[in-house]
Amino acid sequence: MSPERPPEPADDAAAYPRPPGWYGALLAANPEQARRWMRWAWVGGLLWSVWLTWWAIIGIVSVVAFAPPEGSGANALPVRPLIYAGVEALIVGGLAMGVMSRSRPAALALAAGFLATRLALIAMGLITVSDTRDVMWLAIYLLLLFLFVRGAQGAWSYHWFTHPRHPG
């Protein structure tokens, strides 16, 4: 006698009704799609955090190893961008972990914070479109922003599907 198989999960969208109106159009169709969106946001945040950490470590090592001798009149390498990269790596990494643990505030903070920092960098003139390398970085920023916004949508969708409203 073989053990009974567990019931197959429902794949149809009727099993997971979306909220009415425009709010429902922004949500995922089912919890699995919401998990995928959050997973991709987590992967994007993790890769961005690792990249910034690597860049900050290499920069700090080069500042320490190649510092000009004192009294030579040469300027030291700038440290502020390295500190900014390290802080951003910690924040993005932490918020990406929050997205993976299905935290709606973390998902919103990740998407909104990434958008706000990129707009600030554009306003300061640090992000421009002067050559092809800048266009490549702009495309990377847009891809990450897309993943983070999808992660926020996934977190809201997952909450909608797993926390049904009390009737009445």
Side-chain angles (χ1 to χ4, degrees):
M1 190 164 174
S2 65
E4 290 185 24
R5 299 178 72 192
E8 294 292 322
D11 256 351
D12 56 339
Y16 299 104
R18 291 182 183 181
W22 64 270
Y23 182 67
L26 296 176
L27 296 182
N30 54 37
E32 184 54 38
Q33 185 180 30
R35 278 189 218 103
R36 264 194 318 271
W37 288 355
M38 289 184 290
R39 193 176 315 121
W40 277 109
W42 174 71
V43 167
L46 180 69
L47 289 175
W48 185 245
S49 182
V50 167
W51 168 256
L52 287 177
T53 302
W54 174 253
W55 187 79
I57 289 172
I58 294 299
I60 290 171
V61 167
S62 68
V63 165
V64 171
F66 303 115
E70 289 186 33
S72 67
N75 293 333
L77 294 172
V79 177
R80 283 188 184 159
L82 303 176
I83 294 172
Y84 172 78
V87 169
E88 185 180 359
L90 287 173
I91 291 172
V92 168
L95 290 175
M97 292 300 294
V99 171
M100 196 57 189
S101 62
R102 294 161 176 74
S103 169
R104 291 174 300 154
L108 286 176
L110 181 60
F114 192 80
L115 176 64
T117 56
R118 296 308 158 233
L119 290 177
L121 290 173
I122 288 171
M124 289 189 295
L126 297 174
I127 297 176
T128 60
V129 189
S130 58
D131 62 358
T132 57
R133 188 182 64 160
D134 294 337
V135 173
M136 178 195 69
W137 278 108
L138 193 60
I140 290 171
Y141 296 150
L142 288 175
L143 173 68
L144 286 171
L145 182 62
F146 174 76
L147 292 177
F148 296 158
V149 168
R150 277 295 194 186
Q153 288 175 320
W156 283 98
S157 302
Y158 191 81
H159 183 78
W160 171 266
F161 291 131
T162 58
H163 295 79
R165 291 180 182 252
H166 192 282

